[in-house]
Amino acid sequence: VNLLTRAPGGTDKTLVYAVRCGQPQAQDGVREGWLRLDAVRPLPPDEASRVPETDWLSVRDTLSRTALVRASECWQDFNEPSALVLREGDLLQLRTAHMGWGFGWPLASPARRGWFPLACIQAVPSSVSTLVERQRQEMPGGAAAALRALLQAA
């Protein structure tokens, strides 16, 4: 089972969104949905190394289930501890949206998580090219080219 996300703070933290690959009876060999957190466990490295590649979710498939957005302006709320400070241009992963607010984190700092107004973001394609473009802006040319080749091979 490939775990993609947990329910955000403020809602049920006992659920995880999972994708199971390699299931012949499922459409495209994939089943997905919410599971109870206590029904799964991380695999130790030796056990994980024995999982067939057909059971791993590819980078491309992971991105197709990921919502990426870009902060279109700076924003912060000093009075709300669950708020995420936005910097214009931040590339964020959006986990959930509710009543004009989004919960997510900057890809550059996934430990920084919180809520922000949806009016301060713009959708961007959830694709390898979006990630490569972000890396190209932050990395020397040779390193960005090597990353692009690696991601496109996945």
Side-chain angles (χ1 to χ4, degrees), residues 6-65:
R6 262 191 195 180
T11 64
D12 188 354
K13 293 183 185 180
T14 63
L15 298 175
V16 291
Y17 193 81
V19 178
R20 168 73 167 95
C21 302
Q23 295 223 242
Q25 70 273 23
Q27 180 181 3
D28 299 327
V30 174
R31 284 187 61 203
E32 57 188 292
W34 291 97
L35 292 174
R36 289 181 46 89
L37 181 59
D38 60 7
V40 296
R41 66 173 174 79
L43 294 179
D46 63 315
E47 197 175 334
S49 68
R50 294 190 305 269
V51 174
E53 281 190 36
T54 56
D55 290 351
W56 288 90
L57 196 60
S58 72
V59 172
R60 194 172 310 275
D61 287 337
T62 300
L63 285 173
S64 73
R65 292 168 171 82

Short mmCIF file of all heavy atoms in Angstrom, two decimals, residues 6-65:
data_model
loop_
_atom_site.label_atom_id
_atom_site.label_comp_id
_atom_site.label_asym_id
_atom_site.label_seq_id
_atom_site.Cartn_x
_atom_site.Cartn_y
_atom_site.Cartn_z
N ARG A 6 -2.33 12.07 5.07
CA ARG A 6 -3.15 11.88 6.27
C ARG A 6 -4.22 12.95 6.29
O ARG A 6 -4.08 13.99 5.68
CB ARG A 6 -2.29 12.10 7.52
CG ARG A 6 -1.78 10.86 8.13
CD ARG A 6 -1.19 11.19 9.47
NE ARG A 6 -0.39 10.05 9.86
CZ ARG A 6 0.27 9.96 10.97
NH1 ARG A 6 0.26 10.97 11.81
NH2 ARG A 6 0.94 8.90 11.26
N ALA A 7 -5.27 12.69 7.04
CA ALA A 7 -6.28 13.73 7.24
C ALA A 7 -5.60 14.89 7.96
O ALA A 7 -4.78 14.68 8.85
CB ALA A 7 -7.45 13.19 8.06
N PRO A 8 -5.87 16.14 7.58
CA PRO A 8 -5.17 17.29 8.16
C PRO A 8 -5.58 17.58 9.59
O PRO A 8 -6.58 17.06 10.07
CB PRO A 8 -5.58 18.45 7.24
CG PRO A 8 -6.90 18.04 6.71
CD PRO A 8 -6.84 16.53 6.58
N GLY A 9 -4.78 18.41 10.25
CA GLY A 9 -5.10 18.85 11.61
C GLY A 9 -6.50 19.44 11.67
O GLY A 9 -6.95 20.07 10.73
N GLY A 10 -7.18 19.21 12.76
CA GLY A 10 -8.52 19.74 12.90
C GLY A 10 -9.59 18.77 12.43
O GLY A 10 -10.75 18.98 12.65
N THR A 11 -9.19 17.72 11.73
CA THR A 11 -10.15 16.69 11.32
C THR A 11 -9.63 15.35 11.85
O THR A 11 -8.75 15.31 12.68
CB THR A 11 -10.30 16.63 9.78
OG1 THR A 11 -9.05 16.24 9.22
CG2 THR A 11 -10.74 17.95 9.21
N ASP A 12 -10.17 14.28 11.37
CA ASP A 12 -9.82 12.95 11.86
C ASP A 12 -8.39 12.58 11.46
O ASP A 12 -8.12 12.33 10.29
CB ASP A 12 -10.82 11.94 11.31
CG ASP A 12 -10.66 10.58 11.93
OD1 ASP A 12 -9.70 10.38 12.70
OD2 ASP A 12 -11.48 9.71 11.64
N LYS A 13 -7.47 12.55 12.42
CA LYS A 13 -6.07 12.22 12.14
C LYS A 13 -5.82 10.71 12.14
O LYS A 13 -4.70 10.27 12.03
CB LYS A 13 -5.15 12.88 13.16
CG LYS A 13 -5.13 14.37 13.08
CD LYS A 13 -4.16 14.93 14.08
CE LYS A 13 -4.21 16.44 14.08
NZ LYS A 13 -3.28 17.01 15.04
N THR A 14 -6.87 9.91 12.25
CA THR A 14 -6.70 8.47 12.28
C THR A 14 -6.82 7.85 10.90
O THR A 14 -6.78 6.63 10.76
CB THR A 14 -7.72 7.81 13.22
OG1 THR A 14 -9.04 8.04 12.71
CG2 THR A 14 -7.59 8.35 14.63
N LEU A 15 -6.98 8.66 9.86
CA LEU A 15 -7.13 8.14 8.50
C LEU A 15 -5.95 8.51 7.63
O LEU A 15 -5.37 9.58 7.77
CB LEU A 15 -8.42 8.69 7.87
CG LEU A 15 -9.73 8.31 8.54
CD1 LEU A 15 -10.90 9.02 7.87
CD2 LEU A 15 -9.93 6.81 8.54
N VAL A 16 -5.62 7.62 6.69
CA VAL A 16 -4.60 7.88 5.68
C VAL A 16 -5.19 7.53 4.31
O VAL A 16 -6.03 6.64 4.21
CB VAL A 16 -3.30 7.07 5.91
CG1 VAL A 16 -2.58 7.55 7.14
CG2 VAL A 16 -3.57 5.58 5.99
N TYR A 17 -4.78 8.27 3.29
CA TYR A 17 -5.22 7.97 1.93
C TYR A 17 -4.17 7.07 1.31
O TYR A 17 -2.98 7.39 1.30
CB TYR A 17 -5.39 9.25 1.09
CG TYR A 17 -6.13 8.97 -0.19
CD1 TYR A 17 -7.53 8.87 -0.19
CD2 TYR A 17 -5.47 8.78 -1.38
CE1 TYR A 17 -8.23 8.60 -1.34
CE2 TYR A 17 -6.16 8.51 -2.55
CZ TYR A 17 -7.54 8.42 -2.53
OH TYR A 17 -8.23 8.14 -3.67
N ALA A 18 -4.61 5.92 0.81
CA ALA A 18 -3.68 4.90 0.31
C ALA A 18 -4.04 4.48 -1.11
O ALA A 18 -5.20 4.54 -1.51
CB ALA A 18 -3.70 3.70 1.23
N VAL A 19 -3.02 4.02 -1.83
CA VAL A 19 -3.20 3.48 -3.18
C VAL A 19 -2.54 2.11 -3.21
O VAL A 19 -1.38 1.97 -2.82
CB VAL A 19 -2.56 4.39 -4.24
CG1 VAL A 19 -2.71 3.80 -5.63
CG2 VAL A 19 -3.17 5.79 -4.20
N ARG A 20 -3.30 1.12 -3.65
CA ARG A 20 -2.79 -0.26 -3.76
C ARG A 20 -2.64 -0.57 -5.23
O ARG A 20 -3.61 -0.53 -5.99
CB ARG A 20 -3.76 -1.23 -3.08
CG ARG A 20 -3.50 -2.69 -3.36
CD ARG A 20 -2.27 -3.18 -2.60
NE ARG A 20 -2.18 -4.62 -2.60
CZ ARG A 20 -1.48 -5.32 -3.48
NH1 ARG A 20 -0.83 -4.72 -4.45
NH2 ARG A 20 -1.43 -6.63 -3.38
N CYS A 21 -1.43 -0.85 -5.67
CA CYS A 21 -1.15 -1.18 -7.07
C CYS A 21 -1.06 -2.69 -7.24
O CYS A 21 -0.89 -3.43 -6.28
CB CYS A 21 0.17 -0.54 -7.50
SG CYS A 21 0.21 1.23 -7.31
N GLY A 22 -1.11 -3.14 -8.49
CA GLY A 22 -0.92 -4.55 -8.80
C GLY A 22 -2.12 -5.41 -8.49
O GLY A 22 -1.98 -6.60 -8.24
N GLN A 23 -3.33 -4.85 -8.50
CA GLN A 23 -4.54 -5.61 -8.23
C GLN A 23 -5.26 -5.87 -9.54
O GLN A 23 -5.87 -4.96 -10.10
CB GLN A 23 -5.46 -4.85 -7.28
CG GLN A 23 -4.83 -4.68 -5.93
CD GLN A 23 -5.84 -4.94 -4.85
OE1 GLN A 23 -6.12 -4.08 -4.10
NE2 GLN A 23 -6.38 -6.14 -4.78
N PRO A 24 -5.20 -7.09 -10.06
CA PRO A 24 -5.78 -7.36 -11.38
C PRO A 24 -7.29 -7.12 -11.46
O PRO A 24 -7.79 -6.74 -12.50
CB PRO A 24 -5.47 -8.84 -11.62
CG PRO A 24 -4.85 -9.36 -10.39
CD PRO A 24 -4.57 -8.23 -9.46
N GLN A 25 -8.03 -7.29 -10.36
CA GLN A 25 -9.48 -7.11 -10.41
C GLN A 25 -9.88 -5.64 -10.42
O GLN A 25 -11.00 -5.30 -10.71
CB GLN A 25 -10.18 -7.86 -9.27
CG GLN A 25 -9.96 -7.27 -7.90
CD GLN A 25 -8.71 -7.78 -7.20
OE1 GLN A 25 -7.77 -8.24 -7.83
NE2 GLN A 25 -8.68 -7.67 -5.89
N ALA A 26 -8.96 -4.73 -10.08
CA ALA A 26 -9.28 -3.30 -10.05
C ALA A 26 -9.00 -2.69 -11.41
O ALA A 26 -8.16 -3.15 -12.16
CB ALA A 26 -8.43 -2.60 -8.98
N GLN A 27 -9.73 -1.60 -11.72
CA GLN A 27 -9.50 -0.89 -12.97
C GLN A 27 -8.07 -0.39 -13.00
O GLN A 27 -7.59 0.21 -12.05
CB GLN A 27 -10.48 0.27 -13.09
CG GLN A 27 -10.32 1.05 -14.37
CD GLN A 27 -11.30 2.22 -14.45
OE1 GLN A 27 -12.05 2.49 -13.54
NE2 GLN A 27 -11.27 2.92 -15.56
N ASP A 28 -7.35 -0.64 -14.08
CA ASP A 28 -5.95 -0.26 -14.23
C ASP A 28 -5.05 -0.88 -13.16
O ASP A 28 -3.95 -0.41 -12.92
CB ASP A 28 -5.77 1.27 -14.21
CG ASP A 28 -6.51 1.95 -15.34
OD1 ASP A 28 -6.63 1.34 -16.42
OD2 ASP A 28 -6.98 3.08 -15.14
N GLY A 29 -5.53 -1.93 -12.46
CA GLY A 29 -4.73 -2.59 -11.45
C GLY A 29 -4.54 -1.78 -10.17
O GLY A 29 -3.68 -2.09 -9.36
N VAL A 30 -5.35 -0.72 -9.98
CA VAL A 30 -5.16 0.18 -8.83
C VAL A 30 -6.47 0.29 -8.05
O VAL A 30 -7.54 0.42 -8.63
CB VAL A 30 -4.72 1.58 -9.31
CG1 VAL A 30 -4.67 2.56 -8.16
CG2 VAL A 30 -3.38 1.50 -10.02
N ARG A 31 -6.36 0.22 -6.72
CA ARG A 31 -7.47 0.54 -5.82
C ARG A 31 -6.98 1.63 -4.90
O ARG A 31 -5.82 1.63 -4.48
CB ARG A 31 -7.88 -0.67 -4.99
CG ARG A 31 -8.66 -1.68 -5.78
CD ARG A 31 -9.20 -2.79 -4.91
NE ARG A 31 -10.11 -2.26 -3.90
CZ ARG A 31 -10.37 -2.88 -2.76
NH1 ARG A 31 -9.83 -4.03 -2.49
NH2 ARG A 31 -11.21 -2.36 -1.90
N GLU A 32 -7.86 2.57 -4.55
CA GLU A 32 -7.44 3.64 -3.66
C GLU A 32 -8.59 4.09 -2.79
O GLU A 32 -9.75 3.90 -3.12
CB GLU A 32 -6.85 4.82 -4.44
CG GLU A 32 -7.76 5.42 -5.49
CD GLU A 32 -7.01 6.44 -6.34
OE1 GLU A 32 -6.65 7.50 -5.81
OE2 GLU A 32 -6.80 6.16 -7.52
N GLY A 33 -8.23 4.68 -1.64
CA GLY A 33 -9.24 5.18 -0.72
C GLY A 33 -8.64 5.41 0.66
O GLY A 33 -7.44 5.30 0.87
N TRP A 34 -9.51 5.72 1.62
CA TRP A 34 -9.08 6.02 2.98
C TRP A 34 -9.00 4.74 3.80
O TRP A 34 -9.85 3.87 3.69
CB TRP A 34 -10.06 6.99 3.63
CG TRP A 34 -10.01 8.35 3.02
CD1 TRP A 34 -10.83 8.84 2.04
CD2 TRP A 34 -9.07 9.38 3.30
NE1 TRP A 34 -10.45 10.11 1.71
CE2 TRP A 34 -9.38 10.47 2.48
CE3 TRP A 34 -8.00 9.48 4.18
CZ2 TRP A 34 -8.66 11.65 2.50
CZ3 TRP A 34 -7.27 10.66 4.21
CH2 TRP A 34 -7.60 11.74 3.37
N LEU A 35 -7.95 4.64 4.61
CA LEU A 35 -7.74 3.52 5.54
C LEU A 35 -7.53 4.06 6.94
O LEU A 35 -7.03 5.17 7.11
CB LEU A 35 -6.48 2.72 5.17
CG LEU A 35 -6.47 1.92 3.89
CD1 LEU A 35 -5.08 1.33 3.67
CD2 LEU A 35 -7.49 0.80 3.96
N ARG A 36 -7.83 3.23 7.92
CA ARG A 36 -7.50 3.60 9.29
C ARG A 36 -5.99 3.52 9.46
O ARG A 36 -5.36 2.59 8.98
CB ARG A 36 -8.20 2.67 10.28
CG ARG A 36 -9.70 2.88 10.35
CD ARG A 36 -10.35 1.95 11.37
NE ARG A 36 -9.64 1.90 12.63
CZ ARG A 36 -9.85 2.73 13.67
NH1 ARG A 36 -10.78 3.65 13.57
NH2 ARG A 36 -9.16 2.61 14.79
N LEU A 37 -5.42 4.50 10.13
CA LEU A 37 -3.98 4.55 10.34
C LEU A 37 -3.46 3.32 11.07
O LEU A 37 -2.39 2.80 10.76
CB LEU A 37 -3.60 5.82 11.10
CG LEU A 37 -2.12 6.04 11.38
CD1 LEU A 37 -1.33 6.10 10.08
CD2 LEU A 37 -1.91 7.31 12.18
N ASP A 38 -4.25 2.79 12.01
CA ASP A 38 -3.79 1.62 12.76
C ASP A 38 -3.85 0.33 11.95
O ASP A 38 -3.42 -0.73 12.43
CB ASP A 38 -4.54 1.48 14.08
CG ASP A 38 -6.05 1.31 13.91
OD1 ASP A 38 -6.53 1.16 12.76
OD2 ASP A 38 -6.75 1.32 14.93
N ALA A 39 -4.35 0.38 10.71
CA ALA A 39 -4.39 -0.80 9.84
C ALA A 39 -3.14 -0.95 8.99
O ALA A 39 -2.99 -1.93 8.27
CB ALA A 39 -5.62 -0.74 8.95
N VAL A 40 -2.24 0.02 9.06
CA VAL A 40 -1.01 -0.03 8.25
C VAL A 40 0.21 0.20 9.15
O VAL A 40 0.08 0.73 10.25
CB VAL A 40 -1.03 1.03 7.12
CG1 VAL A 40 -2.15 0.76 6.13
CG2 VAL A 40 -1.17 2.43 7.68
N ARG A 41 1.36 -0.22 8.65
CA ARG A 41 2.61 0.01 9.36
C ARG A 41 3.71 0.26 8.33
O ARG A 41 3.66 -0.28 7.22
CB ARG A 41 2.98 -1.17 10.25
CG ARG A 41 3.30 -2.43 9.47
CD ARG A 41 3.82 -3.54 10.37
NE ARG A 41 3.98 -4.77 9.62
CZ ARG A 41 5.00 -5.04 8.81
NH1 ARG A 41 5.96 -4.17 8.65
NH2 ARG A 41 5.06 -6.19 8.15
N PRO A 42 4.71 1.05 8.68
CA PRO A 42 5.83 1.24 7.76
C PRO A 42 6.61 -0.07 7.62
O PRO A 42 6.75 -0.81 8.59
CB PRO A 42 6.69 2.30 8.44
CG PRO A 42 5.89 2.84 9.56
CD PRO A 42 4.83 1.85 9.88
N LEU A 43 7.10 -0.33 6.43
CA LEU A 43 7.91 -1.53 6.20
C LEU A 43 9.35 -1.27 6.58
O LEU A 43 9.91 -0.23 6.21
CB LEU A 43 7.85 -1.95 4.73
CG LEU A 43 6.51 -2.43 4.20
CD1 LEU A 43 6.64 -2.77 2.72
CD2 LEU A 43 5.99 -3.62 4.99
N PRO A 44 9.98 -2.21 7.27
CA PRO A 44 11.43 -2.07 7.50
C PRO A 44 12.15 -2.14 6.14
O PRO A 44 11.62 -2.73 5.19
CB PRO A 44 11.79 -3.28 8.37
CG PRO A 44 10.51 -3.93 8.76
CD PRO A 44 9.42 -3.39 7.88
N PRO A 45 13.33 -1.54 6.02
CA PRO A 45 14.04 -1.49 4.73
C PRO A 45 14.20 -2.86 4.06
O PRO A 45 14.03 -2.97 2.85
CB PRO A 45 15.38 -0.87 5.07
CG PRO A 45 15.12 -0.06 6.30
CD PRO A 45 14.06 -0.80 7.06
N ASP A 46 14.52 -3.90 4.82
CA ASP A 46 14.72 -5.21 4.19
C ASP A 46 13.43 -5.76 3.61
O ASP A 46 13.42 -6.35 2.53
CB ASP A 46 15.34 -6.21 5.18
CG ASP A 46 14.43 -6.50 6.36
OD1 ASP A 46 13.86 -5.54 6.93
OD2 ASP A 46 14.29 -7.69 6.72
N GLU A 47 12.31 -5.52 4.27
CA GLU A 47 11.01 -5.96 3.76
C GLU A 47 10.58 -5.10 2.58
O GLU A 47 10.05 -5.60 1.58
CB GLU A 47 9.97 -5.89 4.88
CG GLU A 47 8.73 -6.68 4.63
CD GLU A 47 7.78 -6.68 5.83
OE1 GLU A 47 8.22 -6.51 6.98
OE2 GLU A 47 6.57 -6.85 5.59
N ALA A 48 10.81 -3.80 2.65
CA ALA A 48 10.44 -2.90 1.55
C ALA A 48 11.21 -3.24 0.29
O ALA A 48 10.68 -3.12 -0.82
CB ALA A 48 10.70 -1.45 1.96
N SER A 49 12.45 -3.67 0.42
CA SER A 49 13.26 -3.99 -0.77
C SER A 49 12.73 -5.22 -1.50
O SER A 49 13.06 -5.43 -2.67
CB SER A 49 14.72 -4.21 -0.37
OG SER A 49 14.85 -5.38 0.41
N ARG A 50 11.89 -6.03 -0.87
CA ARG A 50 11.34 -7.23 -1.51
C ARG A 50 9.97 -6.98 -2.15
O ARG A 50 9.40 -7.88 -2.75
CB ARG A 50 11.24 -8.37 -0.49
CG ARG A 50 12.60 -8.84 0.00
CD ARG A 50 12.49 -10.13 0.81
NE ARG A 50 11.57 -10.06 1.94
CZ ARG A 50 11.89 -9.71 3.18
NH1 ARG A 50 13.14 -9.40 3.47
NH2 ARG A 50 10.98 -9.70 4.13
N VAL A 51 9.44 -5.76 -2.02
CA VAL A 51 8.14 -5.45 -2.64
C VAL A 51 8.34 -5.30 -4.14
O VAL A 51 9.20 -4.54 -4.59
CB VAL A 51 7.55 -4.14 -2.04
CG1 VAL A 51 6.28 -3.74 -2.77
CG2 VAL A 51 7.30 -4.30 -0.55
N PRO A 52 7.56 -6.02 -4.95
CA PRO A 52 7.72 -5.93 -6.41
C PRO A 52 7.44 -4.52 -6.92
O PRO A 52 6.59 -3.80 -6.37
CB PRO A 52 6.69 -6.91 -6.97
CG PRO A 52 6.03 -7.57 -5.81
CD PRO A 52 6.50 -6.93 -4.55
N GLU A 53 8.14 -4.14 -7.98
CA GLU A 53 7.97 -2.79 -8.55
C GLU A 53 6.53 -2.53 -8.99
O GLU A 53 6.08 -1.39 -8.98
CB GLU A 53 8.90 -2.60 -9.75
CG GLU A 53 10.31 -2.29 -9.34
CD GLU A 53 11.16 -1.86 -10.53
OE1 GLU A 53 10.63 -1.16 -11.43
OE2 GLU A 53 12.34 -2.21 -10.53
N THR A 54 5.80 -3.57 -9.36
CA THR A 54 4.40 -3.39 -9.79
C THR A 54 3.51 -2.92 -8.64
O THR A 54 2.41 -2.44 -8.88
CB THR A 54 3.83 -4.70 -10.36
OG1 THR A 54 3.97 -5.73 -9.37
CG2 THR A 54 4.54 -5.08 -11.65
N ASP A 55 3.98 -3.07 -7.41
CA ASP A 55 3.21 -2.62 -6.25
C ASP A 55 3.58 -1.22 -5.79
O ASP A 55 2.98 -0.70 -4.86
CB ASP A 55 3.39 -3.59 -5.08
CG ASP A 55 2.70 -4.92 -5.32
OD1 ASP A 55 1.94 -5.03 -6.31
OD2 ASP A 55 2.92 -5.85 -4.53
N TRP A 56 4.58 -0.60 -6.42
CA TRP A 56 4.99 0.77 -6.07
C TRP A 56 4.26 1.75 -6.98
O TRP A 56 4.10 1.51 -8.17
CB TRP A 56 6.49 0.96 -6.27
CG TRP A 56 7.31 0.25 -5.24
CD1 TRP A 56 7.78 -1.03 -5.33
CD2 TRP A 56 7.73 0.75 -3.98
NE1 TRP A 56 8.48 -1.34 -4.20
CE2 TRP A 56 8.47 -0.27 -3.35
CE3 TRP A 56 7.56 1.96 -3.33
CZ2 TRP A 56 9.03 -0.11 -2.10
CZ3 TRP A 56 8.13 2.12 -2.08
CH2 TRP A 56 8.85 1.09 -1.48
N LEU A 57 3.84 2.86 -6.42
CA LEU A 57 3.21 3.91 -7.19
C LEU A 57 4.32 4.73 -7.85
O LEU A 57 5.23 5.19 -7.17
CB LEU A 57 2.36 4.79 -6.27
CG LEU A 57 1.34 5.71 -6.90
CD1 LEU A 57 0.32 4.91 -7.70
CD2 LEU A 57 0.63 6.51 -5.83
N SER A 58 4.26 4.92 -9.15
CA SER A 58 5.30 5.66 -9.86
C SER A 58 5.25 7.14 -9.50
O SER A 58 4.24 7.64 -8.98
CB SER A 58 5.12 5.50 -11.37
OG SER A 58 3.99 6.23 -11.81
N VAL A 59 6.33 7.84 -9.78
CA VAL A 59 6.38 9.28 -9.54
C VAL A 59 5.25 9.97 -10.31
O VAL A 59 4.54 10.82 -9.78
CB VAL A 59 7.75 9.86 -9.95
CG1 VAL A 59 7.74 11.37 -9.90
CG2 VAL A 59 8.85 9.29 -9.07
N ARG A 60 5.07 9.57 -11.55
CA ARG A 60 4.02 10.18 -12.39
C ARG A 60 2.63 9.94 -11.79
O ARG A 60 1.80 10.85 -11.72
CB ARG A 60 4.10 9.61 -13.80
CG ARG A 60 3.31 10.36 -14.83
CD ARG A 60 3.58 9.86 -16.23
NE ARG A 60 5.00 9.76 -16.57
CZ ARG A 60 5.74 10.76 -17.03
NH1 ARG A 60 5.20 11.94 -17.19
NH2 ARG A 60 7.01 10.60 -17.33
N ASP A 61 2.36 8.70 -11.31
CA ASP A 61 1.06 8.40 -10.71
C ASP A 61 0.88 9.12 -9.37
O ASP A 61 -0.22 9.54 -9.03
CB ASP A 61 0.88 6.90 -10.51
CG ASP A 61 0.64 6.16 -11.81
OD1 ASP A 61 0.17 6.80 -12.78
OD2 ASP A 61 0.91 4.95 -11.87
N THR A 62 1.96 9.26 -8.62
CA THR A 62 1.89 10.00 -7.36
C THR A 62 1.53 11.46 -7.64
O THR A 62 0.66 12.03 -6.98
CB THR A 62 3.23 9.91 -6.59
OG1 THR A 62 3.51 8.54 -6.32
CG2 THR A 62 3.18 10.69 -5.30
N LEU A 63 2.20 12.05 -8.64
CA LEU A 63 1.92 13.45 -8.98
C LEU A 63 0.48 13.63 -9.48
O LEU A 63 -0.14 14.66 -9.22
CB LEU A 63 2.90 13.95 -10.03
CG LEU A 63 4.29 14.26 -9.51
CD1 LEU A 63 5.23 14.58 -10.66
CD2 LEU A 63 4.26 15.41 -8.52
N SER A 64 -0.05 12.63 -10.18
CA SER A 64 -1.43 12.76 -10.68
C SER A 64 -2.44 12.79 -9.54
O SER A 64 -3.57 13.21 -9.73
CB SER A 64 -1.76 11.63 -11.65
OG SER A 64 -1.93 10.41 -10.96
N ARG A 65 -2.03 12.37 -8.35
CA ARG A 65 -2.91 12.38 -7.18
C ARG A 65 -2.52 13.49 -6.21
O ARG A 65 -2.92 13.48 -5.05
CB ARG A 65 -2.84 11.03 -6.48
CG ARG A 65 -3.47 9.92 -7.29
CD ARG A 65 -3.14 8.57 -6.71
NE ARG A 65 -3.89 7.52 -7.35
CZ ARG A 65 -3.55 6.95 -8.50
NH1 ARG A 65 -2.46 7.34 -9.14
NH2 ARG A 65 -4.28 5.99 -9.03
#
